């Protein structure tokens, strides 16, 4: 389920860009890192949507997140 991992990774990058953008604006700097994170996260997220055989709908996203978390826990505990 590589597409699940790509979906979660892209969403995480986009979410993590928000505090970075807020910090950059509060310090009167341009949010270059946040913009890059949103672009890379968006590309990864869209590639997951395109590469998944059946496609994703909104109801599938929480299941994909839980699947990635459970696979990660199994990987690190083994």
């Amino acid at each position: 389920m590589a597409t699940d991992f790509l979906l979660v990774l892209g969403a995480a990058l986009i979410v993590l860009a928000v505090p970075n953008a807020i910090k950059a604006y509060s310090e009167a700097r341009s949010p270059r890192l946040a913009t890059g994170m949103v672009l890379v996260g968006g590309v990864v997220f869209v590639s997951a949507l395109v590469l998944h055989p059946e496609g994703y709908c909104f109801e599938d996203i929480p299941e994909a997140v839980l699947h990635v978390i459970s696979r990660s826990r199994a990987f690190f505990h083994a």
Side-chain angles (χ1 to χ4, degrees), residues 7 55-66:
L7 185 81
Y56 284 104
C57 59
F58 286 113
E59 293 83 23
D60 295 335
I61 293 174
E63 183 180 330
V65 171
L66 290 175

Side-chain angles (χ1 to χ4, degrees), residues 1 3-4 6 10-13 15 17 19 30-31 34-35 39 44-47 55-56 59-61 64-66 68:
M1 294 308 204
T3 55
D4 288 349
L6 290 175
L13 282 174
V15 168
S30 62
T35 304
L39 285 173
V44 171
F45 191 84
V46 170
S47 67
Y56 284 104
E59 293 83 23
D60 295 335
I61 293 174
V65 171
L66 290 175
V68 168

